[in-house]
């Protein structure tokens, strides 16, 4: 089976700060680093490192960054046939990380905004029954709705990580098989200060399963049957940027390999713990060998029932 990630790809520029600047204030960063990123690309790479087949559908510019994106994906073994090359600069994000490891992000999204999948992307021809379609919040809600509708018509599963939240997701919740949200997203979408109560509201709005990520506290799975809490290992967090993408991509990859959510989530949490204990976003992600090493003997290794 294949994980089709439909989303964005960009160049991330990361600044290390003691603290975030106040409005109107200029501060000097302790250092900076550049890496390719974007939630679509990050999640595609994380999924591919579980050993499953991944194709990324994303818009990039006809420029050096776009070329670097295509080369990087190919090096990760990700199918690049879904890349749409547009006559504009490839999207960029500025990520600030403070001394406590907290992050704040600003993005320019021209390519993502012009991208209108599934139209003209080849997703229609690529989707097969049993595949998974994974989308994030970088694309317009109409694109998510149209891609998920197509996936449903093909018998493919749908996973939504609605980050960043830009619009109402109410129209796509009934088309979503698995919703992955962090604490803030759960509270905002579910309209409740308690993330678990908020997730229960989202279940009532038509999603059969919600994973709520809770930072150092791990993550919970909620369905109509109840809730399971999965703790995260205690690690010294150096940089939490990208932790959500890493968890989401690994989770999708393992589901595609046949694991259940309850089996895949603890592995995704362990993978995310490795990521937060190292600096950077993509550069902090565990390698294929590191993910292999944290897989249980079964069911995720070698595939089991979904
Ligand atoms: P980000 O926006 O920083 O990428 P997020 O806000 O989307 O992340 P979080 O809930 O903060 O999502 O983190 C995702 C997962 O990463 C958590 O469920 C947890 O498994 C892991 N994680 C995050 N922070 C820590 C930490 N300090 N220690 C261990 N694991 C962590």
């Amino acid at each position: 089976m294949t994980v089709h990630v439909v989303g964005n790809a960009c160049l991330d520029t990361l600044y290390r700060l003691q603290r975030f600047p106040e409005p109107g204030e200029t501060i000097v960063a302790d250092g900076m680093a550049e890496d390719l990123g974007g939630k679509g690309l990050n999640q595609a790479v994380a999924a591919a490192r579980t050993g499953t087949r991944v194709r990324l559908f994303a818009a990039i510019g006809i420029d050096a960054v776009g070329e670097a994106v295509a080369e990087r994906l190919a090096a990760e073994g990700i199918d690049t046939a879904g890349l749409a090359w547009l006559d504009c600069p490839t999207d960029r994000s500025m990520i600030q990380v403070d001394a406590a490891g907290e992050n704040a992000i600003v993005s320019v999204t021209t390519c993502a905004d012009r991208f209108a999948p599934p139209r003209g992307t080849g997703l229609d021809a690529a989707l097969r029954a049993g595949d998974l379609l994974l989308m994030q919040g970088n694309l317009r809600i109409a694109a998510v709705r149209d891609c998920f509708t197509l996936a449903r018509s093909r018998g493919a599963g749908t996973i939504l990580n609605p980050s960043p939240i830009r619009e109402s997701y109410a129209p796509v919740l009934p088309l979503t098989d698995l919703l992955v949200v962090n604490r803030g997203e759960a509270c905002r979408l579910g309209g409740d200060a308690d993330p678990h109560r908020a997730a229960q509201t989202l279940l009532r709005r038509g999603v059969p399963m919600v994973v709520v990520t809770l930072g150092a506290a791990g993550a919970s799975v909620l369905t109509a049957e109840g809730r399971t809490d999965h703790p995260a290992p205690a690690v010294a967090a150096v940089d939490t940027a990208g932790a959500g993408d890493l968890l989401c991509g690994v989770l999708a990859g393992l589901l595609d390999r046949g694991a259940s959510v309850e089996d895949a989530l603890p592995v995704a949490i362990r993978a995310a713990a490795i990521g937060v204990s190292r600096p950077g976003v993509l550069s902090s992600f565990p390698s294929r060998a590191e993910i292999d090493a944290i897989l249980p003997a079964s069911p995720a290794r070698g595939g089991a029932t979904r």
Side-chain angles (χ1 to χ4, degrees):
M1 298 296 136
T2 300
V3 179
H4 304 271
V5 182
V6 181
N8 71 328
C10 70
L11 177 67
D12 285 337
T13 306
L14 186 139
Y15 294 90
R16 300 196 170 285
L17 313 168
Q18 283 304 306
R19 61 175 176 82
F20 298 121
E22 300 294 332
E25 184 186 20
T26 300
I27 60 172
V28 176
D30 294 340
M32 63 89 75
E34 277 191 335
D35 205 355
L36 296 174
K39 296 186 71 66
L41 183 143
N42 290 344
Q43 294 185 13
V45 169
R49 289 192 185 169
T50 67
T52 206
R53 196 175 334 151
V54 177
R55 184 180 286 119
L56 176 64
F57 296 83
I60 51 176
I62 304 169
D63 57 16
V65 178
E67 293 285 354
V69 167
E71 277 171 27
R72 180 62 187 269
L73 293 172
E76 295 282 346
I78 296 169
D79 188 333
T80 59
L83 291 179
W85 296 80
L86 305 185
D87 190 13
C88 62
T90 301
D91 292 342
R92 290 168 185 251
S93 283
M94 180 184 71
I95 301 168
Q96 300 178 351
V97 180
D98 74 5
E102 190 54 79
N103 65 73
I105 303 173
V106 179
S107 298
V108 175
T109 61
T110 315
C111 280
D113 290 346
R114 289 193 195 171
F115 192 44
R119 188 157 39 88
T121 59
L123 179 66
D124 195 354
L127 269 174
R128 300 269 182 278
D131 285 352
L132 288 178
L133 174 57
L134 170 60
M135 294 187 74
Q136 308 77 33
N138 298 87
L139 304 182
R140 297 201 179 282
I141 199 80
V144 180
R145 183 198 60 214
D146 293 349
C147 290
F148 277 18
T149 301
L150 180 64
R152 278 276 165 97
S153 74
R154 293 292 156 76
T158 56
I159 306 175
L160 178 61
N161 174 222
S163 170
I165 297 178
R166 301 204 305 184
E167 302 172 74
S168 163
Y169 283 89
V172 296
L173 294 183
L175 298 168
T176 303
D177 294 320
L178 172 62
L179 185 72
V180 183
V181 279
N182 67 16
R183 192 192 308 258
E185 290 151 5
C187 294
R188 199 166 145 199
L189 288 179
D192 197 302
D194 177 86
H196 290 130
R197 273 203 315 264
Q200 279 157 1
T201 301
L202 295 170
L203 292 174
R204 287 193 292 274
R205 290 187 192 154
V207 188
M209 186 178 279
V210 180
V211 167
V212 184
T213 67
L214 301 162
S220 303
V221 186
L222 292 98
T223 65
E225 280 72 53
R227 179 180 120 204
T228 320
D229 297 327
H230 296 270
V235 292
V238 171
D239 181 353
T240 63
D245 289 343
L246 176 51
L247 179 139
C248 206
V250 170
L251 183 62
L254 296 176
L255 295 178
D256 194 58
R257 289 185 55 184
S260 67
V261 172
E262 296 289 355
D263 288 333
L265 188 57
V267 180
I269 288 171
R270 291 184 68 188
I274 295 174
V276 302
S277 66
R278 305 199 284 226
V281 179
L282 206 54
S283 55
S284 77
F285 283 12
S287 65
R288 171 89 192 268
E290 286 176 312
I291 291 181
D292 247 13
I294 56 175
L295 289 177
S298 70
R301 201 195 290 266
T305 51
R306 178 173 289 175

